Amino acid sequence: MGTYSKEDILRLVEEEDIQFIRMQFTDLFGQLKNVAVTASQIGRALDGEIMLDGSSIQGSVRVEESDQYLRPDPATFAILTWRPQYGKVARLICDIYNPDGTPFDGDPRNILKRALRQAKSMGYDFHVGPELEFFLFQTDEEGRPTVKTSDKAGYFDLGPLDLGEGTRREVVLALEKMGVEIEASHHETAAGQHEIDLKYADALTAADNIMTFKLAVKTLAQKNGLYATFMPKPLRDAAGNGMHVNMSLFQDGRNLFYDESGERKLSLLARQFIAGLLEHAGSFCALTNPVVNSYKRLIPGYEAPCCLAWSESNRSALIRIPDPRGQGTRAELRSPDTACNPYLAFAACLAAGLDGVTRGLTPPPAVAGNLYAMPPEELAARGIRSLPVSLDAAVCAMETDKVIMEALGPYAARYAAGKRQEWEEYRTQVSQWELHRYLANC
Ligand code: GLU
Ligand code: MG
């Protein structure tokens, strides 16, 4: 993203013939929202005078105290490349403020900023590189999404097998024009599945980039007659959509996870951070894996983790340490999925890792073997716990974890209540599977 001042933006709106500016923010449950203002209102918008009715936003304030203000972050100014190029549309990502001028506690961007300030006070910058997976499916005659694809490609395949190549290319080019750096893109394991890896950035920029990325993928897929989904496990017998998160702590531009003389060339700090992630991963699951369907991805056999273990290169583990060292040293957390609210997920992961640092935790021994194939007795003997198996279990774990609840702040209970309601809605459904299994047999 750029480093625009207010003056730059006023000038650009004029010079670039920008007619609309979208003031964007993300609600507590990860939904991107926006209100568009016309170019004539850009001065007011930059001064933080655009209001929203907070009571109409999920997880936000009560109706009696609903006025809130959008304060744009000038650094996030970007032209939406997929909108008309005459009478252009730009966007600004905003923070939400209360009428008394204080930051709103239920604003996910504010929650992440608070966590980053905490890290900074300890001398650390939190860097994050997300790997985003998604499916491109066909739509039916009425334009509704299906789970069908004619694409027959697999991991790293290319056209003509890969029918999503064109859309992927458009996404990458659009994002690069908007200042989002892309590291790599490729076809993933399942037919119709793709991955785009964003270059690591400070966690706030990375979370902003993820929201931009999802919008770009959905919009450009639609333009190409396809439907993009980040649903964690749309197909029972195919790989799900993960969002691996590569994490590291930096200080003055230096990666503190690297230590030439450390075991596996990892620093003590890296090991403590990993221990903190392992300690809290069961409870931040409610944030990194936020929907009922998330837990259908976390099963053996599809390169998604099920157990709380770490490893050097084993893809069945929760945390993997990819090969590069030096400035590229990082811990790859493999549990998150792309349905998550990245601001909350990163705030929780950072709090978890820093708790490991503060308490000087030591991680358990790294596991080399395939965890999917390990019998329950062996897992128990090694003290390897499982990730929660449902959204309900994850929310219960989160509510009892002080570190994660504090990282979320006053709106943690609101988040948990929203997720519990989602679970109740699911729990009280009678599914096709149940009818098939029990109707005749009971
Ligand atoms: N799609 C897998 C998942 O659900 C990950 C595949 C990979 O290793 O990139 O996490
Ligand atoms: Mg992948």
Side-chain angles (χ1 to χ4, degrees):
M1 269 180 239
T3 44
Y4 300 106
S5 66
K6 276 189 188 178
E7 292 65 38
D8 292 335
I9 295 172
L10 289 170
R11 185 176 42 78
L12 280 168
V13 167
E14 184 91 22
E15 278 176 15
E16 294 277 344
D17 179 31
I18 292 168
Q19 294 298 325
F20 293 97
I21 299 95
R22 292 193 186 181
M23 307 285 280
Q24 289 182 351
F25 60 95
T26 300
D27 77 11
L28 198 63
F29 298 101
Q31 198 63 41
L32 184 67
K33 301 275 178 185
N34 82 168
V35 52
V37 298
T38 53
S40 64
Q41 301 301 306
I42 184 67
R44 280 183 61 231
L46 288 169
D47 287 339
E49 287 177 28
I50 304 299
M51 285 172 65
L52 76 140
D53 169 8
S55 68
S56 302
I57 306 289
Q58 257 213 322
S60 206
V61 288
R62 289 190 297 270
V63 71
E64 318 85 87
E65 49 193 43
S66 51
D67 281 348
Q68 291 179 306
Y69 289 88
L70 293 172
R71 282 200 198 170
D73 180 343
T76 64
F77 179 82
I79 293 171
L80 300 182
T81 53
W82 52 85
R83 299 295 298 149
Q85 291 309 294
Y86 297 101
K88 294 178 187 168
V89 181
R91 72 94 204 267
L92 281 162
I93 298 178
C94 305
D95 296 316
I96 306 175
Y97 276 73
N98 299 313
D100 66 3
T102 54
F104 171 49
D105 281 331
D107 173 12
R109 212 166 181 263
N110 179 29
I111 292 171
L112 177 56
K113 279 185 169 179
R114 203 174 47 219
L116 294 173
R117 275 198 300 274
Q118 168 69 17
K120 193 78 185 167
S121 73
M122 297 168 75
Y124 308 130
D125 296 318
F126 185 41
H127 284 191
V128 163
E131 303 171 19
L132 298 136
E133 295 178 339
F134 55 96
F135 278 91
L136 291 176
F137 286 132
Q138 292 162 354
T139 51
D140 66 14
E141 313 75 52
E142 282 164 51
R144 283 184 303 237
T146 70
V147 285
K148 290 197 193 118
T149 172
S150 319
D151 171 321
K152 301 264 185 299
Y155 188 63
F156 273 33
D157 275 341
L158 57 165
L161 286 179
D162 173 1
L163 300 180
E165 207 174 42
T167 301
R168 226 168 49 224
R169 170 193 150 85
E170 285 177 27
V171 170
V172 170
L173 293 177
L175 289 173
E176 292 220 308
K177 263 197 180 158
M178 291 176 72
V180 178
E181 272 189 86
I182 308 292
E183 192 125 275
S185 65
H186 61 87
H187 199 285
E188 250 300 342
T189 322
Q193 194 185 28
H194 304 269
E195 172 170 326
I196 299 183
D197 303 336
L198 308 190
K199 186 173 161 46
Y200 77 82
D202 68 274
L204 186 68
T205 304
D208 286 343
N209 286 348
I210 290 171
M211 297 312 295
T212 307
F213 169 86
K214 289 174 79 170
L215 180 65
V217 172
K218 292 239 176 214
T219 309
L220 293 166
Q222 194 181 40
K223 282 203 159 171
N224 288 321
L226 294 166
Y227 187 85
T229 183
F230 297 96
M231 183 176 173
K233 186 82 174 176
L235 300 166
R236 195 191 73 167
D237 298 318
N241 288 324
M243 185 185 91
H244 300 164
V245 182
N246 294 277
M247 306 179 195
S248 50
L249 293 177
F250 272 63
Q251 191 174 66
D252 301 326
R254 194 168 58 86
N255 187 335
L256 298 179
F257 275 11
Y258 178 61
D259 180 355
E260 177 67 36
S261 56
E263 196 187 325
R264 300 168 201 271
K265 298 200 175 180
L266 291 178
S267 65
L268 178 64
L269 182 78
R271 299 173 65 78
Q272 291 171 338
F273 195 90
I274 291 167
L277 287 175
L278 286 170
E279 171 107 346
H280 297 285
S283 32
F284 64 59
C285 230
L287 297 155
T288 51
N289 305 75
V291 299
V292 167
N293 180 257
S294 295
Y295 296 84
K296 302 197 169 170
R297 169 178 161 255
L298 302 175
I299 58 167
Y302 295 94
E303 295 188 311
C306 322
C307 295
L308 295 163
W310 73 294
S311 145
E312 191 109 25
S313 60
N314 176 358
R315 284 184 158 75
S316 64
L318 175 76
I319 297 168
R320 197 172 75 88
I321 310 297
D323 188 53
R325 291 294 189 271
Q327 288 292 82
T329 313
R330 59 196 188 259
E332 174 191 307
L333 181 72
R334 295 176 63 82
S335 54
D337 65 49
T338 336
C340 75
N341 178 332
Y343 301 97
L344 301 186
F346 294 166
C349 291
L350 177 58
L354 291 182
D355 185 51
V357 174
T358 312
R359 288 162 58 202
L361 297 180
T362 306
V367 180
N370 178 358
L371 286 150
Y372 300 147
M374 226 172 258
E377 313 78 61
E378 188 177 342
L379 291 171
R382 290 179 182 233
I384 299 176
R385 292 176 293 133
S386 296
L387 281 166
V389 295
S390 67
L391 181 61
D392 180 45
V395 173
C396 290
M398 181 181 105
E399 283 175 319
T400 54
D401 189 319
K402 230 174 130 232
V403 170
I404 302 304
M405 291 301 274
E406 274 174 14
L408 250 59
Y411 275 72
R414 187 76 63 94
Y415 181 87
K419 288 292 145 188
R420 183 146 288 127
Q421 198 182 341
E422 188 174 331
W423 172 257
E424 277 303 301
E425 208 181 300
Y426 170 70
R427 192 179 71 84
T428 51
Q429 299 290 324
V430 177
S431 67
Q432 273 307 319
W433 181 88
E434 287 165 276
L435 290 176
H436 181 71
R437 183 84 157 78
Y438 305 121
L439 199 58
N441 294 327
C442 293

